[in-house]
Amino acid sequence: ADGYYEYTMNECVYSTSDYSDMVFLNSYSFNKVVDLQFNSTVGKYVGYTEEGVKYAENFNKDQAFLQQQKAAVDTFCRHNAQSADSAVRDKT
């Protein structure tokens, strides 16, 4: 029970069946507080804590890494959403 808890979460958020509004979110949290988050709509990391702002500044300097994160909408989100949606639709 005593200790620290750090984790990263990737999310794909969308509400249309053609995925045109899909957003990729990559959040870094420490003890249930989000320190920083990448949002594919914004196109960069945003820090929400003092520590998170420092990390965001460093991540945002790496253009190759940012391009990889922006591409995750297609490479990670759409691919997985299409697989999951077709599996659900095939069962109905």
Side-chain angles (χ1 to χ4, degrees), residues 27-73:
S27 305
Y28 290 77
S29 300
F30 181 75
N31 285 352
K32 298 182 182 180
V33 175
V34 177
D35 285 325
L36 74 152
Q37 183 179 68
F38 176 84
N39 180 320
S40 63
T41 303
V42 176
K44 67 179 184 176
Y45 279 90
V46 175
Y48 297 107
T49 64
E50 185 177 339
E51 197 69 25
V53 169
K54 293 176 189 176
Y55 282 118
E57 287 173 0
N58 286 328
F59 282 149
N60 290 333
K61 289 178 187 175
D62 187 342
Q63 291 302 310
F65 181 63
L66 283 181
Q67 286 302 103
Q68 194 175 28
Q69 295 298 84
K70 291 175 187 176
V73 170

Side-chain angles (χ1 to χ4, degrees), residues 5-19:
Y5 186 62
E6 184 176 29
Y7 61 97
T8 303
M9 183 166 48
N10 293 317
E11 298 177 84
C12 302
V13 181
Y14 62 99
S15 61
T16 60
S17 60
D18 67 353
Y19 314 121

